[in-house]
Amino acid sequence: MEILYASLLGFFLLVIYFYYNHKSGGNANLRPPGKTGFPVIGETLEFLSAGWKGHPEKFIFDRIAKYSSHVFKTSLLGSQVIVFCGSNGHRFLFSNENKLVQAWSPSSIDKIFQHSTKKSTSQEALRLKQMFPNLLKPMALQGYLGLMDTVAHRHFVTDWEKKDTVVVFPLAHHYTFLLGCRLFVSVEDPKHVAILEKPFGVLAAGIVSIPIDFPGTAFNRAIKASNVIRKELLVIIKQRKIDLVEGKASPTQDILSRMLSTSDDNGKFMHEADVADQILGMIVAGHDSSSSVCTSIVKYLAELPDIYQVVYQGNTLLIFQQVEIAKSKAPGELLNWDDIQKMKYSWNVACEVMRLAPPNLGTFREAIADFAYDGFSIQKGSKLYWNPNSTHRNHEFFPEPQKFDPSRFEGSGPAPYTFLPFGEGPRICPGKEFVRLQILIFMHHLVKRFRWEKLIPDEKAFYIPLPSSEKGLPIRLFPHEA
């Protein structure tokens, strides 16, 4: 009997020990709960399925509930990863950048992008920011605003006006691609844009897919598409180098010229292949995220006429909205920086759209040291992942999370590390302000011209991996009376 009591006491003390370590985050030696599924495939099918069904957050919340933990392990895109959830998890990852964790991407994504993701360290990101200050700093973006407004005006005149119905998703993709081509590599000829645009669509569809490199798979097609784009970019790069030498191109005219004209601290310039990889990665990032947000904005404004009316006409508290800004312009006069600053409510609407339909599904990290978090032991070399839906759709941070409410972004806005469409901290998206301009200029040109209605009221929404609509969001346009 004494042996039995001693055994029960020992078991009881052991339970207390593990419970204490789990809660305190002290010298933990527990591994995060979870499963990794089948080899290579892992739980990728479940992850993608949740997105295809229109509820990408379900993959995260189901596992938080199952394991009673905001940290769990899984396997995505061919790699075993530990998922950090909630604002505390986000804060830990972002505040420990290059201390305990660093940027990382699955080998499947590296295979598509080659050098462009392998060099995506914080040092490389800092170098790129230093290389292109005139594009990335908000005040310097003023120099590009007129050009962006001009491109948007031409796009709406060509592809939207004098049409009864349009399909939004491909048009939004085309709009952001036009801007990327013009501002990144100064390509504006429609035939040249078309040559680049087709393989970009194939590449985007295969970024998040089962990483099986077999002919006919989305992953295989994405690899081939990236190679096609890379070859075309190399042709552009070689010609630009000649034009720079001959004085036919400016060293500051776009990102490409800046990359070719700027050396590192040792006086070395980037190799042509590395420039092509970086341009490829940046166009994909800016093009896909912005077009996804623009499409979702059209969807929500069609479903919420009261919100649309405030964006269009304002109210007693919001004097300057899109129609007022449009009326203040003389014929042919372009948008200026003051106009953009008046679009506060429009940007609040865009932010609420990005909360409900984030333009990214998180990014990956790698542990560069052993550490403990939330009572679990994380070993050096472990692959980590965060997902914005763990906070964006969490009632703890956003009451009534399914409700569309732009007022959440008034004043100081959401709590830190809860709203993350562009990341946070050292790894915050360097193109955030550029994306903001893309979106606001799109909203301005759309809303000042039309109101609209969805042709398929119950059209299914899904994530592939970014928000999309089953039929591309067809709408009927109703031009405003002159």
Side-chain angles (χ1 to χ4, degrees):
M1 185 64 70
E2 291 179 355
I3 294 177
L4 176 60
Y5 287 153
S7 298
L8 289 175
L9 178 60
F11 177 78
F12 180 72
L13 292 174
L14 188 62
V15 169
I16 292 177
Y17 170 80
F18 281 119
Y19 178 85
Y20 174 80
N21 276 281
H22 176 75
K23 289 296 183 182
S24 68
N27 297 319
N29 55 15
L30 293 176
R31 300 290 184 263
K35 64 178 184 177
T36 55
F38 295 104
V40 181
I41 295 176
E43 292 192 302
T44 303
L45 285 177
E46 293 96 322
F47 179 77
L48 295 177
S49 177
W52 292 331
K53 294 176 181 178
H55 302 285
E57 73 281 2
K58 190 175 186 300
F59 180 88
I60 300 295
F61 290 145
D62 282 356
R63 283 153 182 78
I64 291 175
K66 179 179 180 179
Y67 304 124
S68 299
S69 173
H70 281 75
V71 185
F72 61 86
K73 67 181 177 182
T74 184
S75 179
L76 299 175
L77 306 179
S79 299
Q80 294 187 18
V81 296
I82 299 171
V83 184
F84 281 58
C85 304
S87 61
N88 289 336
H90 296 161
R91 184 190 306 273
F92 182 88
L93 291 181
F94 291 129
S95 62
N96 282 290
E97 187 76 26
N98 296 320
K99 300 173 185 176
L100 297 177
V101 302
Q102 65 181 8
W104 175 84
S105 59
S107 59
S108 59
I109 295 180
D110 281 343
K111 196 167 185 178
I112 294 175
F113 288 97
Q114 296 184 10
H115 299 82
S116 60
T117 51
K118 290 179 182 177
K119 291 194 174 184
S120 186
T121 63
S122 59
Q123 291 84 1
E124 182 72 9
L126 178 60
R127 181 188 175 195
L128 292 176
K129 283 186 178 182
Q130 293 172 338
M131 193 179 291
F132 323 126
N134 291 331
L135 179 65
L136 301 177
K137 291 182 178 179
M139 293 307 297
L141 280 168
Q142 296 180 46
Y144 295 91
L145 182 54
L147 175 59
M148 295 174 72
D149 190 26
T150 300
V151 172
H153 173 76
R154 291 174 181 170
H155 167 69
F156 274 90
V157 169
T158 302
D159 296 329
W160 293 73
E161 291 184 358
K162 298 181 181 180
K163 294 186 178 182
D164 295 327
T165 64
V166 296
V167 181
V168 177
F169 189 64
L171 289 184
H173 263 251
H174 186 56
Y175 160 72
T176 58
F177 195 77
L178 286 171
L179 285 176
C181 285
R182 181 62 184 85
L183 271 70
F184 291 166
V185 291
S186 294
V187 170
E188 51 187 328
D189 176 68
K191 293 181 179 179
H192 201 174
V193 171
I195 291 173
L196 287 168
E197 189 170 12
K198 184 176 180 179
F200 263 102
V202 177
L203 186 154
I207 291 176
V208 178
S209 62
I210 302 298
I212 298 177
D213 187 5
F214 190 80
T217 64
F219 184 66
N220 178 264
R221 291 195 296 268
I223 294 173
K224 292 180 178 179
S226 72
N227 291 332
V228 170
I229 299 167
R230 195 173 287 104
K231 289 179 181 179
E232 185 63 30
L233 288 175
L234 283 171
V235 173
I236 296 172
I237 290 166
K238 291 180 183 295
Q239 183 60 50
R240 179 63 60 82
K241 291 176 74 174
I242 295 173
D243 291 344
L244 285 169
V245 171
E246 296 179 351
K248 298 178 181 178
S250 165
T252 60
Q253 73 181 49
D254 55 25
I255 277 188
L256 176 57
S257 281
R258 293 182 182 281
M259 293 181 80
L260 295 176
S261 304
T262 305
S263 63
D264 61 19
D265 294 337
N266 298 317
K268 294 183 179 181
F269 293 87
M270 294 181 70
H271 293 292
E272 292 178 358
D274 293 336
V275 173
D277 290 331
Q278 291 290 351
I279 292 289
L280 170 60
M282 285 185 286
I283 291 180
V284 168
H287 163 240
D288 282 347
S289 60
S290 298
S291 59
S292 169
V293 176
C294 289
T295 302
S296 296
I297 286 172
V298 176
K299 169 186 176 294
Y300 280 105
L301 290 184
E303 297 170 348
L304 302 165
D306 291 345
I307 300 293
Y308 167 87
Q309 193 61 28
V310 179
V311 172
Y312 172 61
Q313 203 164 27
N315 59 26
T316 56
L317 299 177
L318 301 156
I319 300 174
F320 292 105
Q321 286 311 312
Q322 302 302 346
V323 68
E324 296 297 327
I325 294 171
K327 288 180 178 179
S328 71
K329 313 304 289 185
E333 184 181 358
L334 298 173
L335 290 172
N336 58 46
W337 196 253
D338 287 341
D339 297 326
I340 296 296
Q341 305 317 306
K342 294 173 183 177
M343 300 180 189
K344 292 181 179 179
Y345 184 78
S346 293
W347 183 241
N348 287 348
V349 169
C351 287
E352 181 68 344
V353 168
M354 288 187 285
R355 182 187 69 82
L356 289 167
N360 74 74
L361 287 182
T363 55
F364 296 90
R365 299 287 189 272
E366 180 180 33
I368 55 178
D370 293 340
F371 61 84
Y373 175 78
D374 199 27
F376 297 111
S377 176
I378 310 298
Q379 294 180 320
K380 179 180 179 180
S382 297
K383 309 310 186 246
L384 318 172
Y385 172 68
W386 68 273
N387 185 297
N389 281 313
S390 72
T391 54
H392 283 201
R393 290 177 175 264
N394 191 322
H395 65 84
E396 178 184 351
F397 308 111
F398 297 98
E400 298 183 84
Q402 303 303 325
K403 180 181 178 181
F404 192 95
D405 182 7
S407 69
R408 303 180 197 270
F409 297 90
E410 295 175 358
S412 58
Y417 301 99
T418 61
F419 179 63
L420 302 165
F422 302 104
E424 193 80 70
R427 291 289 297 177
I428 194 168
C429 175
K432 174 183 176 181
E433 290 300 322
F434 173 63
V435 171
R436 186 173 79 97
L437 283 184
Q438 283 183 304
I439 293 170
L440 288 176
I441 291 172
F442 176 87
M443 292 180 72
H444 175 75
H445 281 274
L446 177 67
V447 171
K448 79 173 185 179
R449 285 175 166 85
F450 312 106
R451 62 181 179 86
W452 57 91
E453 65 181 16
K454 294 168 62 176
L455 290 177
I456 309 175
D458 57 350
E459 184 178 6
K460 177 184 176 182
F462 61 95
Y463 292 72
I464 55 169
L466 301 181
S468 187
S469 300
E470 188 173 30
K471 302 296 183 181
L473 192 61
I475 61 172
R476 185 179 305 280
L477 297 172
F478 300 95
H480 293 301
E481 295 182 3

